[in-house]
Amino acid sequence: VARELGYDPEQALAARRLRYRRSERQVVNRLVGLYFSLRQARGPYFYQLLEGLGEVLDGAEFALLSNWAPSAKAPPVRLPAIVSRGEVDGVLTLSGVPHIDQLVALLRRDPGFGDRPIVSMMEPEEGCSAVLTADSAGGYALMQHLLGLGHRQVLYVDFHTWQNGQRVEGCRRACREHGLDPLQAVRALPYYTEDERRSRASLLHSLAQYPRCRAIFGGNDMTACLLAAWLREAGVQIPQDCSLIGFDDTHTLAAPTGANLLTTVRQPLIEVGRRAAALLVQHIRGEITEPRTIELPVELVVRGSTAPPPPA
Amino acid sequence: VARELGYDPEQALAARRLRYRRSERQVVNRLVGLYFSLRQARGPYFYQLLEGLGEVLDGAEFALLSNWAPSAKAPPVRLPAIVSRGEVDGVLTLSGVPHIDQLVALLRRDPGFGDRPIVSMMEPEEGCSAVLTADSAGGYALMQHLLGLGHRQVLYVDFHTWQNGQRVEGCRRACREHGLDPLQAVRALPYYTEDERRSRASLLHSLAQYPRCRAIFGGNDMTACLLAAWLREAGVQIPQDCSLIGFDDTHTLAAPTGANLLTTVRQPLIEVGRRAAALLVQHIRGEITEPRTIELPVELVVRGSTAPPPPA
DNA sequence: TTGTAAGCGTTATCAG
DNA sequence: CTGATAACGCTTACAA
């Protein structure tokens, strides 16, 4: 009869939620939150993840709350009202967003969220499930490729605020296997978003200082493309004078023909989004109770930006 | 006393919503929905809008619901449960999403949404507020620029499913003012996403057919960049052999130096997002009751992809 | 097995 | 003007 009349108690969740306070049960609201920064939302990295998330959440009929846009400056001090009210069933976080630890602590402390599931993407997080990629293996494959071309020194350039430690660790592992001193073979050079001139000068200085270093590893594709522009302006030709590698396979380094030149490691970002969403939904449905970590493989994509080092 | 004890009736919105059924009042949930397609979410066009939306909604402490990801195929038949439950205070829509009319009708028909505010971005919509850009003026400025360079014929290429009529109308207005037959001067050539080969052949055929037409207007930057790749492969040099223009200023047509070549019309997309969010929040707060339309100016950005036509 | 009543937290109403 | 009361729709404990 209920079905005939189109009656669905889910429609009046407000009443159910009210009543459930007595029995300390939880109401599933089919709503999950995504914590990210507007800064990240500018690039394809983010919207590939979003595409995977959207696909799975849509299928599971979950809605996605997504305007958490923390600034890099201050840690979050308050949760959105809808979270404190207990209407958000779970949360997705994303590596690279400032102050994730504080956010997680804040969520855990709030009675409106408590120990509901959190799934972290691209970075492990204490007490949360995670969907990661084989970062270390990616760095290893990249370095193997460069070593095979004859390079013996690499300059690793990345935001100083990011810690892609696994990536570099993979590079260094490959170096050790080739009998090279990993600290000599992979030199880290931070760059500073807030001071482009300084970063550029620092890059060119390092290239002059280490004449045998003719390969540059940008911490990700976005960084690599920026470095490419600086190198071009300084008259350094890629890959004749210097090889360049990225990470992610999200950006195009355009050759005159329009083709993508950038040798990189492809991360399965859409799949990361899918898996993270699926994991969160399983948690919410109670099909999983313990935090779980998934690692997805990455793939070396060799294009035109890498070549043997020029003769000394 | 309430303040001392940290008591806030907003925290128990469920109870308030329950009670309000009797008096037919509405509960503001500080939650708005964004209707878009995953297809759009792939490009900077979308995330510039999102950036503006996020900024204002964050400031007003509204949350954003954003996993409406309709496929192009089928019109929406059901609203997310959270909308039907009346927990979404208002909706933002975006031009280019399939079946917007059906969505609006569906919302209006659903007692859970009824006549709550809808703000449409980049396209007017019956019975809704809208934030638009001066499309026609943009087309006019582009055409003025081309006419000034000496062009007398332009090929307009765009998705056949999109109707950027105002843009073309602006072009034709400029032609009329120069005493040209607008239908002769601006020829429309649709292209077909599902059949790239056909679109490419059609483009090259048209160029051969109209030898005096040496300027191409891609309906937007994304389209223009795609056309640029096809032209390059066909050996057509930009801008020496043929000028190329886009619209939006969202994509880069990279010169060998990495600089952006594309002459285009900049749309203030972040500002569109900000205004749309602000408008929706004002509606929800009851500060505005009647639908309102805002039009923002656009700006011609002349770069290297336009030049005088080659001598006949 | 079926039926009844209480109560979740809020607010409108009505009596005092 | 103040203060008590009932009802929004649901779930559950308990009685029949």
Side-chain angles (χ1 to χ4, degrees):
Chain A
V1 173
R3 193 151 4 104
E4 273 173 27
L5 291 168
Y7 166 78
D8 178 10
E10 293 263 323
Q11 286 299 318
L13 267 201
R16 172 178 283 178
R17 189 176 298 120
L18 212 51
R19 182 53 175 81
Y20 273 1
R21 288 222 171 176
R22 303 205 86 206
S23 48
E24 289 179 12
R25 275 183 64 177
Q26 276 197 8
V27 181
V28 173
N29 212 11
R30 297 187 164 276
L31 178 62
V32 301
L34 172 64
Y35 186 73
F36 70 97
S37 72
L38 282 180
R39 201 202 152 82
Q40 291 183 294
R42 282 186 196 149
Y45 185 92
F46 176 75
Y47 57 77
Q48 285 189 30
L49 287 167
L50 189 64
E51 188 168 333
L53 292 176
E55 192 187 306
V56 170
L57 291 177
D58 236 45
E61 301 198 60
F62 271 71
L64 179 68
L65 200 68
S66 67
N67 76 325
W68 268 343
S71 73
K73 326 273 174 179
V77 289
R78 212 158 43 125
L79 295 169
I82 198 165
V83 177
S84 310
R85 258 185 263 136
E87 293 179 26
V88 173
D89 302 321
V91 161
L92 295 150
T93 67
L94 177 52
S95 159
V97 179
H99 315 295
I100 292 196
D101 292 343
Q102 282 95 321
L103 175 85
V104 171
L106 206 57
L107 284 170
R108 294 294 182 224
R109 216 182 308 134
D110 193 305
F113 193 84
D115 57 356
R116 296 184 188 193
I118 302 176
V119 176
S120 169
M121 292 182 280
M122 309 303 284
E123 195 174 52
E125 185 66 37
E126 182 67 30
C128 309
S129 281
V131 180
L132 312 175
T133 56
D135 233 28
S136 169
Y140 182 84
L142 272 184
M143 198 65 214
Q144 283 280 29
H145 170 60
L146 289 174
L147 290 167
L149 288 171
H151 291 273
R152 289 296 172 267
Q153 281 191 21
V154 171
L155 197 59
Y156 173 77
V157 186
D158 205 352
F159 288 108
H160 67 302
T161 50
W162 290 8
Q163 301 126 354
N164 289 321
Q166 291 303 309
R167 226 161 269 187
V168 179
E169 186 43 45
C171 291
R172 294 205 162 125
R173 183 157 47 88
C175 294
R176 273 193 298 275
E177 289 183 12
H178 273 70
L180 297 170
D181 174 355
L183 291 178
Q184 290 278 328
V186 183
R187 292 177 199 284
L189 174 71
Y191 88 74
Y192 309 90
T193 13
E194 66 278 13
D195 189 350
E196 188 171 302
R197 200 174 305 169
R198 180 176 161 202
S199 304
R200 186 192 307 222
S202 164
L203 171 69
L204 299 176
H205 175 76
S206 293
L207 275 185
Q209 191 181 356
Y210 306 113
R212 295 190 48 228
C213 176
R214 284 296 167 263
I216 297 177
F217 175 17
N220 54 48
D221 278 11
M222 191 184 62
T223 305
C225 287
L226 194 57
L227 299 177
W230 295 351
L231 292 172
R232 272 172 178 153
E233 284 174 30
V236 178
Q237 291 196 24
I238 299 168
Q240 292 85 347
D241 302 331
C242 186
S243 290
L244 180 67
I245 316 196
F247 211 98
D248 291 347
D249 198 28
T250 50
H251 288 67
T252 296
L253 182 65
T257 64
N260 188 1
L261 267 182
L262 192 61
T263 294
T264 191
V265 170
R266 178 176 303 150
Q267 304 230 59
L269 296 172
I270 298 182
E271 186 64 19
V272 169
R274 286 195 200 108
R275 296 294 197 96
L279 205 49
L280 187 59
V281 168
Q282 285 181 296
H283 272 297
I284 292 169
R285 291 188 179 142
E287 296 165 12
I288 305 178
T289 52
E290 288 305 300
R292 187 174 292 186
T293 296
I294 295 175
E295 189 180 87
L296 299 176
V298 299
E299 179 193 357
L300 177 68
V301 181
V302 177
R303 297 202 183 93
S305 68
T306 43
Chain B
V1 172
R3 193 151 3 104
E4 273 173 28
L5 292 168
Y7 166 78
D8 178 9
E10 293 264 324
Q11 285 299 316
L13 267 202
R16 172 176 286 178
R17 191 174 298 118
L18 208 54
R19 185 54 178 81
Y20 272 1
R21 287 221 172 179
R22 302 207 87 207
S23 48
E24 290 178 11
R25 274 184 63 178
Q26 276 197 7
V27 181
V28 173
N29 211 11
R30 297 187 163 277
L31 177 63
V32 301
L34 172 63
Y35 186 74
F36 69 98
S37 72
L38 282 179
R39 201 202 151 81
Q40 290 183 296
R42 282 186 197 148
Y45 184 92
F46 175 75
Y47 56 77
Q48 284 189 31
L49 288 167
L50 188 64
E51 187 168 337
L53 292 176
E55 191 188 306
V56 170
L57 291 176
D58 235 45
E61 301 197 60
F62 271 71
L64 179 68
L65 200 68
S66 66
N67 76 325
W68 268 344
S71 73
K73 326 273 173 180
V77 289
R78 212 159 43 123
L79 295 169
I82 199 166
V83 176
S84 309
R85 257 185 265 136
E87 293 179 25
V88 173
D89 302 320
V91 162
L92 294 150
T93 67
L94 176 53
S95 159
V97 179
H99 315 294
I100 291 196
D101 293 342
Q102 282 93 324
L103 175 85
V104 171
L106 206 56
L107 285 169
R108 294 295 182 222
R109 217 182 308 134
D110 193 304
F113 194 85
D115 58 354
R116 295 184 189 194
I118 302 175
V119 176
S120 168
M121 292 182 280
M122 309 303 286
E123 195 174 51
E125 185 66 37
E126 182 67 30
C128 308
S129 281
V131 180
L132 312 175
T133 55
D135 234 28
S136 169
Y140 181 84
L142 273 184
M143 198 65 213
Q144 283 280 26
H145 169 60
L146 289 175
L147 290 167
L149 288 171
H151 291 273
R152 288 296 173 267
Q153 281 191 21
V154 172
L155 197 58
Y156 174 77
V157 185
D158 205 353
F159 288 107
H160 67 300
T161 51
W162 289 7
Q163 300 127 351
N164 290 319
Q166 290 303 308
R167 228 162 267 187
V168 179
E169 186 41 46
C171 291
R172 295 205 162 125
R173 182 157 47 88
C175 294
R176 274 193 297 275
E177 289 183 9
H178 274 69
L180 297 171
D181 174 356
L183 290 178
Q184 290 279 327
V186 183
R187 292 178 200 283
L189 175 71
Y191 89 74
Y192 309 90
T193 14
E194 67 278 13
D195 189 351
E196 188 171 303
R197 198 173 306 166
R198 178 175 163 203
S199 304
R200 187 192 306 223
S202 164
L203 171 69
L204 298 176
H205 175 76
S206 292
L207 275 185
Q209 192 182 354
Y210 306 113
R212 294 190 48 228
C213 175
R214 283 297 165 261
I216 297 178
F217 174 18
N220 56 47
D221 278 12
M222 191 183 63
T223 305
C225 286
L226 193 57
L227 299 178
W230 296 351
L231 292 172
R232 272 173 178 153
E233 284 173 33
V236 178
Q237 291 197 25
I238 299 168
Q240 292 85 347
D241 302 330
C242 186
S243 291
L244 181 67
I245 316 197
F247 211 97
D248 290 347
D249 199 27
T250 50
H251 289 66
T252 295
L253 182 64
T257 63
N260 188 1
L261 268 181
L262 192 61
T263 294
T264 190
V265 170
R266 178 175 303 152
Q267 303 230 59
L269 296 173
I270 299 183
E271 186 65 17
V272 169
R274 285 196 201 108
R275 296 295 197 96
L279 204 50
L280 187 59
V281 168
Q282 285 181 294
H283 272 297
I284 292 169
R285 290 189 179 140
E287 296 164 14
I288 305 178
T289 50
E290 288 306 300
R292 187 175 292 186
T293 296
I294 296 176
E295 188 180 88
L296 299 176
V298 298
E299 180 193 357
L300 177 68
V301 181
V302 177
R303 296 203 183 93
S305 68
T306 41

